[in-house]
């Protein structure tokens, strides 16, 4: 049942991208493609829909028609004006001038007299007629055949209504110009399309002799041509966006998916580490992520191995006092001699104390990792901490026990290190307790502090027998004990120095053991433990 749950969990963590499943790649890859295309679609739509181009073309067309119309109106005023003192426009001569100056191929020119009547039209001069596409034939409502009328579909204006609106707009434009006001803008054409039109009054002094109207309907064609010119660039932009999307999918989404699958394999197959060499060699953020995941899983693997070794060591260390207890209990029922029974009871008490001390030290060691990772490091003054620890030992010393002496300057700048005060205090206590256990009665343990090259050194000296040269490193191993002859068996758990090294390494420092030379060559004056920690930056 547990395996089924574990197998199904990846699907719960990876919801399906419902509407995008038709795109290739992973969900992240599909998202990359859609977002790239969405941004490009907005850009294309803006280029095609926004009316900035149309507005610019309309304004340019109005300026062109106005310049041309003012020139034609001026010529007509100078050449086709007759009668004084009440001038009037010679319609026939004005029509000839319009024929010479207008360009009926690209625009339409109309000439109106002072009463607003149409006098000349460039379509007449060029022998052109207005034309438009007829709407498709429709069936009659009663099914009796085709409806051949020119009215639009239901809800749309008919051809006549469109023509009437266009004629009304033209008349309003001409009426405005007859009042001596120039008119320019967009209005409705006879075929329902908008045209650019200007109406210029033909004035002789202050009298309005007529109106010249010029209109152009090629703006939409120019805009369509501009959009058609944009089409190759749009296709190129879409192609580039698709290529970049698939490259991003290949370079980002696919490796991330591989990392996720590798993490699932580590979780489901109980593997110890993620290994993706081809991604780790990449010199980018994904390479950094892959290397970080590999380092993290390797660190977790090492921690798992350390926990397994710790559990095996704990089982081995607990087995010894338990075996001794079982033997003593089994023998106790067979021994009748009171002296022998007393010795067995002493063994039982010693083994119980040993078990209690062993369980306490194991509990402290197992909580150490959690405590070190839970608390944030803070600046700690080692001089003050060492002074407090030594003062505690001096206040609680009993007759016959070794004394603890602090050899450090009382004045000067604080010796600051970055770490946890409780853990560093445990380092000092463990080193002092270890030195006291090897010191003679009424002996002395010396704790000194030094500062050198951005580091702070803590040195603990004793006057004991020293450490065998071959054991200077092994004494820091878990559950290792090396006692001199005559020392009580089981008085130490072998975890004190191991805890010291663990805490010091967590503070980016190191600890070592050495023997102090005596007065004669080859003689050992005692053991020395040196802890080196990086000084905190002020």
């Amino acid at each position: 049942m547990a395996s089924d749950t574990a197998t199904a969990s990846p699907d719960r963590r990876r919801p399906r991208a419902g509407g995008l499943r038709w795109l290739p790649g992973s969900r992240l890859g599909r998202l990359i493609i859609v977002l790239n295309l969405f941004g490009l679609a907005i850009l294309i739509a803006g280029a095609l829909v926004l009316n900035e181009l149309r507005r610019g073309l309309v304004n340019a067309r109005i300026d062109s028609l106005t310049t041309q119309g003012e020139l034609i109106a001026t010529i007509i005023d100078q050449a086709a004006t007759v009668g004084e003192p009440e001038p009037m426009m010679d319609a026939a001569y004005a029509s000839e001038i319009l024929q010479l100056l207008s360009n009926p191929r690209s625009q339409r020119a109309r000439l109106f007299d002072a009463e607003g009547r149409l006098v000349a039209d460039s379509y007449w001069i060029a022998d052109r007629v207005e034309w438009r596409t007829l709407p498709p034939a429709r069936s009659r409502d009663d099914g009796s055949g085709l409806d051949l009328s020119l009215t639009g579909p239901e809800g749309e204006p008919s051809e006549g209504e469109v023509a009437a609106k266009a004629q009304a707009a033209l008349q309003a434009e001409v009426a405005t110009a007859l009042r001596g006001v120039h008119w320019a803008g967009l209005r409705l054409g006879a075929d329902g399309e908008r045209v650019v039109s200007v109406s210029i009054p033909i004035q002789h002094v202050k009298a309005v002799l007529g109106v010249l109207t010029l209109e152009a309907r090629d703006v939409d064609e120019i805009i369509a041509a501009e959009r058609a010119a944009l089409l190759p660039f749009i296709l190129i932009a879409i192609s580039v966006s698709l290529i970049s999307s698939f490259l991003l999918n290949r370079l980002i989404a696919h490796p991330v998916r591989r990392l996720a699958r590798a993490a699932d394999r580590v979780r489901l197959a109980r593997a110890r580490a993620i290994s993706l060499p081809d991604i780790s060699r990449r010199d980018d953020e994904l390479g950094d992520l892959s290397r970080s995941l590999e380092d993290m899983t390797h660190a977790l693997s090492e921690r798992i191995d350390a926990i397994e070794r710790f559990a095996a060591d704990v089982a081995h260390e607990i087995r010894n006092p338990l075996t001794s207890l079982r033997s003593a209990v089994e023998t106790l029922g067979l021994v009748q001699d009171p002296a022998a029974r007393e010795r067995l009871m002493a063994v039982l008490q010693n083994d119980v104390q040993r078990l209690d001390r062993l369980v306490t030290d194991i509990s402290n060691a197992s909580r150490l990792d959690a405590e070190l990772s839970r608390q944030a490091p803070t600046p700690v003054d080692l001089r003050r901490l060492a002074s407090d620890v030594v003062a505690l030992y001096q206040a609680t010393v009993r007759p016959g026990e070794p004394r603890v002496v602090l050899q450090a300057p009382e004045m000067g700048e604080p010796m600051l290190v970055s770490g946890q005060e409780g853990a560093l205090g445990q380092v000092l206590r463990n080193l002092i307790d270890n030195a006291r256990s090897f010191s003679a009665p009424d002996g002395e343990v010396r704790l000194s502090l030094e500062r050198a090259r951005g580091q702070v050194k803590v040195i603990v000296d004793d006057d004991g027998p020293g450490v065998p040269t071959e054991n200077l490193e092994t004494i820091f191993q878990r559950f290792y004990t090396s006692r001199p002859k005559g020392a009580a068996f089981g008085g130490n758990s072998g975890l004190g120095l191991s805890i010291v090294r663990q805490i010091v390494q967590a503070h980016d420092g190191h600890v070592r053991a050495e023997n102090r030379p005596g007065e004669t060559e080859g003689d050992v004056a005692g053991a020395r433990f040196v802890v080196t920690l990086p000084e905190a930056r002020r």
Side-chain angles (χ1 to χ4, degrees), residues 14-70:
R14 293 177 184 167
R16 300 293 184 185
L20 304 176
R21 283 182 292 179
W22 55 274
L23 288 173
S26 62
R27 189 184 183 203
L28 181 59
R30 291 192 289 267
L31 188 61
I32 290 173
I33 295 174
V34 169
L35 290 179
N36 279 353
L37 292 180
F38 183 71
L40 182 61
I42 293 177
L43 181 62
I44 294 173
L48 296 179
V49 174
L50 292 180
N51 60 353
E52 292 297 328
L53 176 63
R54 185 185 186 97
R55 185 180 299 114
L57 290 175
V58 168
N59 292 335
R61 205 73 174 115
I62 288 175
D63 293 341
S64 174
L65 292 177
T66 300
T67 301
Q68 184 179 356
E70 289 177 348

Side-chain angles (χ1 to χ4, degrees), residues 8 26 59 83 229 243 254 273 320 363 384 451 467 470 535:
S26 62
N59 292 335
I243 293 173
H254 184 65
N320 292 333
S363 176
R384 181 190 58 80
R451 180 191 285 119
V467 182
E470 65 275 9
E535 190 173 7

